[in-house]
Each structure stands twice: as C-alpha cells, then as structure tokens.
Amino acid sequence: MTSVARHYVLAAGGTGGHLTPAFALASELERRGHHVALITDDRGAAIPGKPDFLTAHVLPAGRFGKNPMRWLGGIRAVMQGRAMARRVYETFQPSAVIGFGGYPALPALLGAQADDIATVIHEQNAVLGRVNRLLAGRVDAIATAYPDVERLKADHRAKTHLVGNPVRPEVLSLRDEEFPAFTADGLFRVLVTGGSQGARVLSEVVPDGLAMLPPALRSRLQVTQQCRPEDLDAVRARYASHEIPAELGTYFEDMQARLADAHLFIGRAGASTIAELTAVGRPAILVPLPIATDDHQAANVREVVKAGGARSIRQHKFTASELAKQIQAMAQHPETLANAAHASWNCGRPKAARDLADLVESFGGAPIQDVIRVGASERRNAEGAPAAATRDSV
C-alpha cells in the first residue's frame, strides 16, 4: 500500500460495460488507501454494484447521433458537464482522472485537461470507442483490454498499456477453482445470458437448438437462462415442450455461482462478459450483437476464438441447427470441453485491476508534491477559499 493517500476521479458512461471495470479499479485504489470519486450520468448512477465508499457525481452527458440538428444540444451539455467537473476538481483535487468510455467521460476528461490534471483512458473493447478515439491524442496514457485494438493510431502506441479488463472480485475468486467435472454420463450444465436485459434471439433459438442435440447429450442437460420479462412465458413453454429442465429468470443475483457450475456459456460478446469467462475459464458459444458500435463485439471474440476457448456465430447464421452442431462439436467428448475451458482460462488477465491501478498511480503526485499541494490548500483557506474536500464530504 502506498504511503501517500491521493485523490482520483473515475468517469464512465451509463452502461454496465463501462461501469463494471470502473468499480473494480475504485475498489483497488481504495484498498491502497486512496480517495476515489465517480463521475457518470443518470443511467450510470442507477447501475448496481457501486462500492459504498464511492461517491457519484451526476453530470449531463451530451450525445451526438447521426442527426446534426441535435449536435448543438449535445455540445451545450458537454460544456455544462465540463464546467461542473471542474468544480468537482477544485475541491477534490485529483492526481488523475480516468475515463472508461461513454459520453459522460467526455466532459470529465475535457475538464481535467483544462485544469492540467493527468488523464488516462481505459478501452474495454477490441475497437477503440468514439469518446476514447476523440481523446486518445490528448491523454497521458491509454490502457487496453486486448493486445490488438482497432482504430488505435500507430503514433499512440507508445503510451498504450495492455492491462486487461478488470472484473468483479467475486468472479475473479473463481479463477483457481477446477473446471467442473464433465463426464460421459454426468450433468451437462449450460448457462445462457444476453446481458442485463437478456437477448430475444437467444430466447428464440437456444431451446430449439438444445432440443436437436443427440439423445445421450440432451438427456443430461440442465439449463439456466436469463430472459427478457416479456419472453419468459414463451421460453418456459418451449423448454417444457422439449422436456428439457430449465431454470429461467430475468435476473440472477448469484450469477457468479452459476458461472462457477457451468460447463458451457451461450450469450453475447460484450467486453465484461468475455473478461469474466476468461478470468474463470469457461468455454463459450458467442453471438456478437450485430448493431454494436463499430461491430466491436465481433472484434472482442477474436482472441478467445483463435485460442480455442470459444466459438463465434454471427447472428444471421445463429440457427437452432447451427447451434446444435457447434455444441455437439464442443461437448461430444469430455476432454474437448475441458481443453476449451483451459484455452479460455489462458486468455484471462486476472491482474487487470492491479495493473491498471499501478498505471494510474504512476500519475499520482510524489510525496513532496502532496505536501506542496496541502500547503497551497491551507493558504487558500487562510484567504477564504474552499479547502480540498475529504472523501466523506465529497
């Protein structure tokens, strides 16, 4: 643990994919004795999993769609958010601001650069996101989750650091556990999720695909599937018609326990999903979201697919028969599935939170600089200006 407590601000857009690694970094920095604050938007403030110690500052986030008529409003919101962020920095005095992508990160990082505060961006996907592309040339460091990231300019690679994508501690704790025994006559446990809201294509295809497996494999199935609320009854009826035991729900609080027991995962290819699968070492059949920005989910799967830890099926080819064929190829022999699990595990980067925290700390002030900063703060107090806020009062 460092001997000097510093202040850091994390800025992340309002999706779980951006917030989950931000929460993991916040926990690691707090464990090291630092004070951490979060800048996000209304959606981000509602994402579950935020550590209790982490104070959230909600800023307006301007969005820039394809309609230029809306850009003026987006620019106005960004400038308003930038001014609000600078007011946070005036009292909190961060050593660095770390952006995780999404529109709320933009005003926070612009405000930091205006105040000459060090800035770092973390890219979770295998394609550099829009906000990160906009800021890549101006930040002090770029942290990536993959060794090859599309849209990352060659002249930015000197300040690029491969750290991985931080995952939740409760998931990371499963890394040293053995892959659950998969025998020729034992249960075949399949976990199906499509993100926080499920995915309709999985609800439509997976039950029928599992029903097409050879009887010796199908009879051993035990399925857990996350569905959209409006799809729940229809999916339940499909499994019942196929006589396949399935536990369905719109949300599972103990998802890490279900992941620990799973022999095969079927779902989307979001960055956090792949980070957790590879952290634990679980074979997967992944269906990249076709409307994902810059098709980044298709890029996300390449490393683990190449290693042999997963198979990828484009959504327009994701049929019941194709799914059954891919499952049979992976699970026909126990050693095939175990080998895929090991390949997935080898792609994991379990030290991502630690390595990202190390990078962030490299931009923290040296002890003498902290003394100077505190002294300056005391002089401002004497002159009637506000002092730097403590963590509890931010």
Side-chain angles (χ1 to χ4, degrees):
M1 183 177 293
T2 183
S3 59
V4 178
R6 303 188 183 109
H7 293 188
Y8 294 100
V9 171
L10 314 185
T15 68
H18 295 309
L19 269 298
T20 297
F23 293 160
L25 176 62
S27 295
E28 177 64 17
L29 290 173
E30 198 268 348
R31 186 189 68 80
R32 298 184 184 198
H34 300 303
H35 306 305
V36 191
L38 173 71
I39 285 179
T40 188
D41 60 0
D42 289 324
R43 291 189 306 157
I47 296 290
K50 183 177 75 66
D52 291 339
F53 65 83
L54 187 62
T55 299
H57 300 270
V58 177
L59 270 59
R63 289 177 172 78
F64 301 89
K66 295 181 179 180
N67 184 358
M69 298 296 293
R70 298 183 179 179
W71 291 358
L72 184 60
I75 293 172
R76 187 181 297 113
V78 167
M79 297 310 294
Q80 182 183 357
R82 175 179 175 271
M84 293 173 67
R86 294 183 72 182
R87 288 197 290 274
V88 172
Y89 305 154
E90 184 177 354
T91 56
F92 196 63
Q93 296 187 358
S95 294
V97 176
I98 303 92
F100 288 83
Y103 287 113
L106 180 57
L109 289 164
L110 290 176
Q113 289 166 353
D115 287 343
D116 200 26
I117 299 169
T119 53
V120 179
I121 55 175
H122 179 271
E123 179 54 61
Q124 301 89 53
N125 294 296
V127 181
L128 202 63
R130 290 177 180 175
V131 169
N132 283 348
R133 285 204 300 270
L134 182 65
L135 295 167
R138 302 175 58 183
V139 297
D140 295 284
I142 301 169
T144 66
Y146 294 93
D148 297 311
V149 178
E150 297 177 16
R151 304 252 181 146
L152 178 63
K153 293 182 179 180
D155 57 355
H156 295 159
R157 294 193 181 277
K159 60 179 177 181
T160 299
H161 306 261
L162 174 61
V163 299
N165 195 12
V167 301
R168 295 172 293 165
E170 58 268 29
V171 172
L172 193 58
S173 67
L174 303 174
R175 182 166 176 82
D176 293 331
E177 295 187 9
E178 294 290 333
F179 181 63
F182 180 66
T183 62
D185 55 0
L187 287 174
F188 179 28
R189 291 187 289 271
V190 178
L191 175 62
V192 187
T193 79
S196 60
Q197 297 299 319
R200 176 154 293 165
V201 67
L202 299 176
S203 297
E204 294 172 346
V205 172
V206 173
D208 295 344
L210 294 175
M212 296 175 70
L213 292 173
L217 196 57
R218 171 179 162 175
S219 64
R220 298 153 50 201
L221 282 169
Q222 186 178 75
V223 181
T224 299
Q225 182 162 349
Q226 180 193 43
C227 310
R228 293 172 182 264
E230 61 268 28
D231 297 336
L232 206 56
D233 290 340
V235 177
R236 184 175 288 111
R238 284 189 188 224
Y239 278 116
S241 68
H242 296 314
E243 298 183 339
I244 295 175
E247 181 181 2
L248 308 179
T250 58
Y251 178 76
F252 295 108
E253 291 187 0
D254 59 342
M255 186 61 77
Q256 64 271 14
R258 297 171 188 274
L259 183 60
D261 290 338
H263 295 112
L264 178 67
F265 173 89
I266 303 173
R268 290 298 194 193
S272 291
T273 294
I274 294 179
E276 294 191 351
L277 289 171
T278 56
V280 178
R282 290 297 177 269
I285 293 176
L286 301 168
V287 186
L289 179 67
I291 60 172
T293 305
D294 299 316
D295 201 20
H296 66 255
Q297 288 201 4
N300 288 350
V301 306
R302 291 173 188 161
E303 182 183 33
V304 67
V305 168
K306 184 178 180 181
R311 297 183 178 222
S312 178
I313 306 175
R314 284 291 198 168
Q315 184 162 308
H316 68 279
K317 295 183 178 180
F318 185 60
T319 63
S321 59
E322 180 63 20
L323 176 61
K325 182 176 77 172
Q326 297 295 342
I327 294 175
Q328 190 173 354
M330 295 183 76
Q332 191 170 19
H333 304 290
E335 64 273 14
T336 305
L337 206 58
N339 289 341
H342 186 65
S344 174
W345 190 90
N346 280 337
C347 291
R349 295 185 173 87
K351 298 177 181 178
R354 184 204 69 180
D355 291 346
L356 182 55
D358 286 347
L359 176 63
V360 166
E361 277 190 328
S362 72
F363 293 100
I368 186 64
Q369 291 175 310
D370 276 19
V371 171
I372 292 171
R373 188 183 67 181
V374 170
S377 177
E378 290 173 348
R379 285 194 299 273
R380 283 194 298 271
N381 285 342
E383 296 167 0
T390 63
R391 178 180 57 181
D392 294 334
S393 63
V394 170

